[in-house]
Amino acid sequence: MKKHICSPLIGLAIIFAAQFPASAENNQKLEVFSWWTSGGEAAALDALFQTYKRQYPGIEIINATVAGGGGSAARPVLQTRLAGGNPPDTWQTHPGWELLGQYVEAGYCLPIGDIYKSEGWEKVVPQQLIDLLSRNGKPYAVLCGIHRGNDLWYNKKLLDKNGITVGDSMSFDEFFAACEKLKAAGITPLAVGDSGIWATAQLFENTLLGTVGPDAWKALFSGKMSFDDPKVKQAAKTYGRMLDYQNPDHSALTWDQATKAVMEGRCAFTSMGDWAHGEFTKANLEDNKDFGWVTCPGTNGAFIIVADGFPLAKGAPHSEAATDWLKSIGSKEAQEAFNPLKGSIPVRTDVDKSKFGPYLQWSMQSFSKDALLPSVVHGEAAPAAFQQALNDAITQFVVDKNAEALSAALVQAAKDSNIAK
Ligand code: GAL
């Protein structure tokens, strides 16, 4: 009798299991896709994983990374997976055009307003940031931190030794005077690691901002000012002048190897987002003692935002674990563990600020009072097509230093990507 009752149930279970293979078991995993592979990046990502494991024990994390700063190699891999209907559960992305234009518009992400509500984030995350992640009033990602793109880092001991003092801000003239002095002393003034072209494109981005200022920056990326403007050409010339001071092996180095060249005193300065601070931290170097920083020449009072967020994939293989991941990275605990290692500032306003060192305190101050601007190199200010055209034009510029050609390429890119009206 018993046998008769059980066997249909077992049969049903077998059919069910065949139709929905290991759905319960699958939910014990979580695939997180990113390009966080440098020393500082990997350490910070691990802090997110450890926090998640504490908050949601028993889930195996698949750490799907594709090396290459700025996501230059990761994004094409991700795109292929998304287009092929094989999404990771969640992936690293930037707000603005990248998230909304590339992923939300194409239908790859689910809205997550209910998570914002259940976690009470509307009270602790500034609305301005939520807006950068939202379409039609619905948020599509959770930010784990905010980087500042326009920083100039330097080896403090090396500058001290050469009698160079950096104040609270730096003009282009002051920068070039320091470079001349260093060059005369046989030191390579500027470290660039443009094996991924984005790193030198970012040097141009910072120089462009330093030349045109925040209002013109907004005008350029909303089609109200042309890339044909004499100031854009001036920025290109200044950027070309900077390249005269860079390390000869720049095209063989990654951004973090260039940062290392500064740490080791082989070069004096590097212009890089504050993920470089994550590298200094990883190397146990001390703020204001071993290294220093200042806003990139001419950019005092402006903060180029490079924010990192994660969305929820539509069709996520482990959607429950992915939802928990988003809750976790937005938690106070995760933000306090991740950001001091990553070199970014937290998104939440209720974190314990004493957990952040001098540089990050400085960056929080800057964020609270400066003009906040989106980065084009990191996919926020303009569509991906413009970002690609900029990288191509910069690749050419590094060789020919032709300011007219760079400006003309950007004019064309603005037309092609519908920035120019
Ligand atoms: C940016 C990203 C940062 C950092 C950097 C270098 O695009 O937002 O978190 O990882 O690339 O890889």
Side-chain angles (χ1 to χ4, degrees):
M1 185 66 193
K2 226 178 183 184
K3 239 183 187 174
H4 277 108
I5 295 171
C6 281
S7 51
L9 283 181
I10 291 168
L12 208 68
I14 291 168
I15 294 166
F16 194 84
Q19 276 189 352
F20 304 98
S23 65
E25 191 190 308
N26 272 346
N27 266 327
Q28 300 307 308
K29 288 188 185 163
L30 167 75
E31 186 183 7
V32 178
F33 184 97
S34 81
W35 58 86
W36 284 336
T37 56
S38 79
E41 289 174 336
L45 178 59
D46 193 55
L48 287 183
F49 289 164
Q50 296 313 323
T51 308
Y52 180 75
K53 283 181 184 164
R54 266 196 304 278
Q55 293 174 338
Y56 301 96
I59 294 167
E60 182 197 330
I61 298 175
I62 304 162
N63 182 13
T65 50
V66 177
S72 43
R75 274 193 309 274
V77 174
L78 174 65
Q79 194 60 42
T80 306
R81 289 190 57 175
L82 295 176
N86 173 32
D89 294 305
T90 185
W91 61 87
Q92 179 190 353
T93 186
H94 300 117
W97 275 99
E98 189 179 303
L99 170 70
L100 301 173
Q102 247 170 292
Y103 304 133
V104 172
E105 185 115 352
Y108 296 139
C109 308
L110 292 176
I112 52 170
D114 47 345
I115 303 183
Y116 273 75
K117 276 206 187 75
S118 72
E119 303 308 292
W121 288 339
E122 275 132 348
K123 286 181 221 106
V124 290
V125 180
Q127 189 58 40
Q128 197 185 353
L129 290 176
I130 301 180
D131 289 347
L132 294 177
L133 306 156
S134 300
R135 168 104 350 140
N136 301 326
K138 293 180 189 152
Y140 280 88
V142 179
L143 292 180
C144 45
I146 302 169
H147 281 296
R148 191 177 191 283
N150 51 316
D151 284 340
L152 184 69
W153 304 92
Y154 54 88
N155 182 312
K156 179 118 175 41
K157 289 176 181 158
L158 193 61
L159 291 200
D160 286 350
K161 216 165 102 193
N162 286 277
I164 298 167
T165 313
V166 177
D168 290 345
S169 66
M170 201 182 223
S171 66
F172 285 113
D173 284 348
E174 285 166 333
F175 175 70
F176 286 122
C179 288
E180 271 305 305
K181 206 166 177 183
L182 290 159
K183 197 177 158 194
I187 297 156
T188 303
L190 183 63
V192 177
D194 61 357
S195 69
I197 198 68
W198 66 274
T200 194
Q202 188 165 345
L203 176 59
F204 171 68
E205 166 165 290
N206 289 334
T207 309
L208 179 63
L209 174 61
T211 311
V212 304
D215 289 343
W217 184 266
K218 289 180 199 153
L220 279 171
F221 292 105
S222 58
K224 293 184 186 119
M225 178 175 161
S226 169
F227 283 92
D228 195 32
D229 193 278
K231 280 191 190 156
V232 175
K233 294 176 190 168
Q234 179 54 46
K237 284 187 194 133
T238 307
Y239 164 56
R241 220 178 128 196
M242 286 183 172
L243 297 185
D244 292 341
Y245 294 101
Q246 72 181 339
N247 45 320
D249 61 348
H250 60 92
S251 62
L253 302 189
T254 55
W255 70 270
D256 47 318
Q257 288 170 331
T259 307
K260 199 163 183 222
V262 172
M263 285 183 203
E264 292 175 353
R266 283 180 277 127
C267 299
F269 293 102
T270 193
S271 168
M272 191 39 67
D274 51 16
W275 40 93
H277 190 268
E279 299 304 305
F280 290 122
T281 303
K282 175 83 183 149
N284 287 320
L285 300 185
E286 225 178 282
D287 295 27
N288 288 323
K289 192 174 142 230
D290 300 308
F291 66 92
W293 64 89
V294 65
T295 55
C296 285
T299 68
N300 210 28
F303 185 119
I304 293 193
I305 294 183
V306 185
D308 289 308
F310 287 83
L312 176 60
K314 187 171 181 182
H318 319 98
S319 62
E320 202 182 311
T323 302
D324 291 344
W325 164 257
L326 298 182
K327 288 181 182 166
S328 174
I329 64 171
S331 71
K332 209 169 143 201
E333 188 188 351
Q335 302 242 329
E336 287 173 355
F338 171 80
N339 288 295
L341 299 176
K342 189 67 171 66
S344 43
I345 58 172
V347 174
R348 297 178 67 119
T349 49
D350 60 346
V351 294
D352 177 357
K353 293 216 168 84
S354 71
K355 294 195 167 145
F356 297 82
Y359 168 73
L360 289 170
Q361 299 277 353
W362 175 88
S363 182
M364 285 189 230
Q365 271 291 316
S366 165
F367 185 79
S368 69
K369 63 179 169 52
D370 289 342
L372 304 177
L373 303 166
S375 162
V376 57
V377 172
H378 296 276
E380 299 166 342
F386 187 95
Q387 185 187 11
Q388 184 58 47
L390 171 66
N391 282 338
D392 293 346
I394 289 293
T395 304
Q396 186 60 33
F397 185 86
V398 171
V399 178
D400 65 17
K401 305 226 177 109
N402 185 334
E404 289 291 332
L406 176 54
S407 151
L410 297 182
V411 169
Q412 189 58 45
K415 271 195 200 123
D416 293 347
S417 54
N418 287 327
I419 294 179
K421 306 261 150 58

